[in-house]
């Protein structure tokens, strides 16, 4: 009986630790999203930031590349993930680098697309996290199946996005977006199960930063795809391109060169 009591107490303690880990992971994920949205709003609000990003595109590309490299190190080097404050510092650098890298994509959008994209990303993420938490099927047992499925979807996505870019077929892009959306949503359920625990595979309760970053990457992939879809929808519905707004609320358009700039110049011998 005493051994059973000890086992029960241990189980209760582990559930409390797991619950605390879950709250940390999901709270940090929400904080990462809010931090990103705040900076994206600054990009949309202040034209000088957008102009800087446009004129220094190599900065965005370099920042995104650095974030991928640091994320790889963060995933595979466990010692870094548990070393405080190094893990927090590296997480902040990764997050900030990702934001800088993706901000260039936000320059040509507007608040309508930003809000719409957030709704169509965060709401499904909440639903699939909830499904992954409640569903009885253990996705962590299906790693091989998920790998094969993701590879098939990846090949299809590459084909259709190439078809869209080269042949300008809009249907190909929608198929590409659907493939990416479906596979990421499946992985969201998988990641939710590894975070929540009580499955075949689960994350260590010390890896709350890694868990939040993984969910953030899921969010980012969906957001980039949905943003493109929202831009196409915006152009079709609003009949005006979505872009940064001028101070009076009208879309800013570049000046049109009609080739008659010399008409207003004085020429030798003209009447004054």
């Amino acid at each position: 009986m005493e051994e059973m009591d000890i086992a029960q107490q241990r189980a209760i303690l582990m559930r409390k630790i797991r619950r605390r880990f879950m709250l940390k992971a999901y709270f940090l994920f929400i904080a990462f999203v809010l931090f990103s949205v705040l900076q994206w709003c600054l990009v949309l609000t202040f034209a000088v930031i957008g102009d800087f990003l446009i004129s220094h595109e190599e900065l965005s590309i370099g920042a995104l590349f650095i974030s991928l490299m640091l994320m790889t190190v963060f995933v595979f080097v466990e010692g870094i993930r548990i070393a405080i404050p190094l893990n927090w510092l590296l997480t902040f650098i990764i997050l900030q680098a990702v934001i800088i890298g993706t901000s260039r994509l936000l320059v040509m959008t507007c608040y309508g697309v930003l809000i719409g994209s957030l709704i169509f990303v965060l709401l499904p993420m909440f639903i699939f996290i909830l499904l992954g938490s409640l569903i009885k099927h253990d996705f962590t047992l299906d790693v091989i199946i998920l790998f094969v499925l993701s590879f098939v979807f990846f090949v299809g996505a590459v084909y259709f996005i190439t078809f869209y870019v080269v042949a300008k077929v809009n249907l190909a892009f929608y198929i590409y977006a659907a493939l990416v959306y479906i596979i990421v949503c499946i992985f969201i359920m998988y990641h939710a199960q590894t975070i929540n625990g009580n499955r075949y595979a689960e994350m260590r309760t010390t890896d709350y930063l890694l868990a939040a970053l993984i969910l953030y990457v899921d969010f980012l992939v969906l957001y980039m795809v949905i943003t493109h879809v929202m831009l196409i929808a915006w152009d079709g519905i609003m009949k005006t391109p979505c872009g940064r707004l001028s101070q009076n609320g009208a879309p800013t358009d570049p000046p049109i060169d009609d080739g008659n700039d010399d008409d207003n110049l004085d020429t030798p011998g003209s009447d004054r």
Side-chain angles (χ1 to χ4, degrees):
M1 292 294 295
E2 184 177 352
E3 293 180 355
M4 291 182 61
D5 291 339
I6 295 175
Q8 290 177 352
Q9 292 176 1
R10 178 179 175 81
I12 293 173
L13 178 61
M14 294 303 296
R15 284 197 295 269
K16 289 182 179 179
I17 294 175
R18 175 61 58 174
R19 191 177 300 113
R20 194 178 302 119
F21 164 75
M22 290 168 51
L23 292 175
K24 283 184 179 180
Y26 291 126
F27 174 79
L28 284 172
F29 164 66
I30 295 173
F32 291 169
V33 172
L34 292 177
F35 185 65
S36 302
V37 172
L38 175 62
Q39 296 194 48
W40 291 338
C41 288
L42 293 177
V43 173
L44 293 177
T45 302
F46 299 102
V48 63
I49 301 178
D51 294 337
F52 177 81
L53 291 172
I54 292 175
S55 59
H56 297 83
E57 293 180 340
E58 66 280 358
L59 177 63
S60 297
I61 296 175
L64 196 58
F65 180 79
I66 291 173
S67 69
L68 293 175
M69 296 298 101
L70 292 179
M71 183 71 176
T72 303
V73 173
F74 195 78
V75 169
F76 287 102
V77 182
E78 183 181 358
I80 294 179
R81 299 200 306 269
I82 62 177
I84 300 175
L86 180 60
N87 54 354
W88 284 93
L89 177 61
L90 189 58
T91 299
F92 176 78
I93 295 175
I94 292 172
L95 181 63
Q96 189 60 57
V98 169
I99 294 173
I100 294 174
T102 55
S103 292
R104 175 61 183 88
L105 304 176
L106 271 293
V107 173
M108 306 312 297
T109 63
C110 55
Y111 279 106
V113 169
L114 174 64
I115 296 173
S117 299
L118 290 175
I119 292 174
F120 281 99
V121 171
L122 292 177
L123 183 60
M125 281 196 71
F126 172 78
I127 293 174
F128 281 98
I129 288 174
L130 189 62
L131 284 176
S133 303
L134 299 178
I135 196 171
K136 293 183 179 180
H137 181 75
D138 190 351
F139 283 100
T140 66
L141 291 171
D142 303 327
V143 177
I144 301 299
I145 296 176
L146 289 176
F147 173 79
V148 174
L149 186 64
S150 61
F151 179 77
V152 172
F153 275 49
F154 170 76
V155 173
V158 170
Y159 169 79
F160 285 111
I161 194 61
T162 304
F163 199 78
Y164 167 73
V165 172
V166 175
K168 307 299 181 183
V169 178
N170 289 335
L171 178 61
F173 173 78
Y174 293 128
I175 298 175
Y176 152 79
L179 291 175
V180 174
Y181 203 91
I182 292 172
I183 194 62
V184 172
C185 287
I186 293 175
F187 271 100
I188 288 174
M189 291 191 291
Y190 172 83
H191 293 149
Q193 290 187 350
T194 60
I195 292 173
N196 298 341
N198 294 325
R199 306 287 178 164
Y200 176 75
E202 58 185 36
M203 298 189 68
R204 294 184 179 92
T205 54
T206 56
D207 281 336
Y208 47 87
L209 288 174
L210 177 61
L213 281 176
I214 289 175
L215 290 176
Y216 180 75
V217 170
D218 292 336
F219 159 79
L220 203 62
V221 173
L222 290 180
Y223 181 80
M224 288 189 291
V225 173
I226 293 300
T227 296
H228 197 162
V229 175
M230 291 295 296
L231 281 172
I232 297 176
W234 180 281
D235 293 343
I237 297 174
M238 304 301 294
K239 305 301 181 182
T240 56
C242 177
R244 288 174 295 170
L245 300 180
S246 62
Q247 293 181 353
N248 60 2
T252 57
D253 296 323
I256 300 176
D257 184 8
D258 57 3
N260 297 323
D261 293 340
D262 295 336
D263 292 346
N264 297 326
L265 299 178
D266 293 332
T267 57
S270 61
D271 295 335
R272 296 183 181 275

